[in-house]
Amino acid sequence: MSPAEVGYFAAGSVVTSLVSNFVEGGLRAGLIHREDRLVDAAETAVRATLLTGLVMLLLALASAPLVSLLFDNSTAGVVAASMSGGICSSR
């Protein structure tokens, strides 16, 4: 890859990297310390993580044009839009 292509990838992945940190929201750590009603807590954590992931996916996808404007490069926006799908699927 050329340095320019690496730059496009880095610019496009800014939003996805930032948003993916908020998807889990610390629920996994809460499950580790849970001692009672673990099945209910696990089900709640899965549902909350899925819902949060979908919301963050839509926010990241909607912000792709902003990335394109911010970096003055349409390729960075396309990379941001394509990487937004990985937010929900990686969890």
Side-chain angles (χ1 to χ4, degrees):
M1 288 177 40
S2 71
E5 291 170 332
V6 172
Y8 299 148
F9 178 78
S13 66
V14 168
V15 174
T16 305
S17 299
L18 178 69
V19 168
S20 64
N21 290 329
F22 295 103
V23 171
E24 181 197 331
L27 293 174
R28 192 178 319 164
L31 283 176
I32 291 172
H33 296 291
R34 185 82 185 201
E35 294 182 13
D36 60 334
R37 296 178 44 193
L38 186 60
V39 173
D40 291 337
E43 183 178 342
T44 301
V46 167
R47 289 182 185 194
T49 302
L50 180 62
L51 180 63
T52 306
L54 288 174
V55 169
M56 294 297 179
L57 180 149
L58 293 174
L59 287 174
L61 185 59
S63 69
L66 296 174
V67 170
S68 187
L69 287 173
L70 179 67
F71 291 100
D72 194 29
N73 188 295
S74 62
T75 304
V78 171
V79 170
S82 63
M83 290 186 69
S84 66
I87 292 172
C88 194
S89 65
S90 65
R91 302 288 170 212

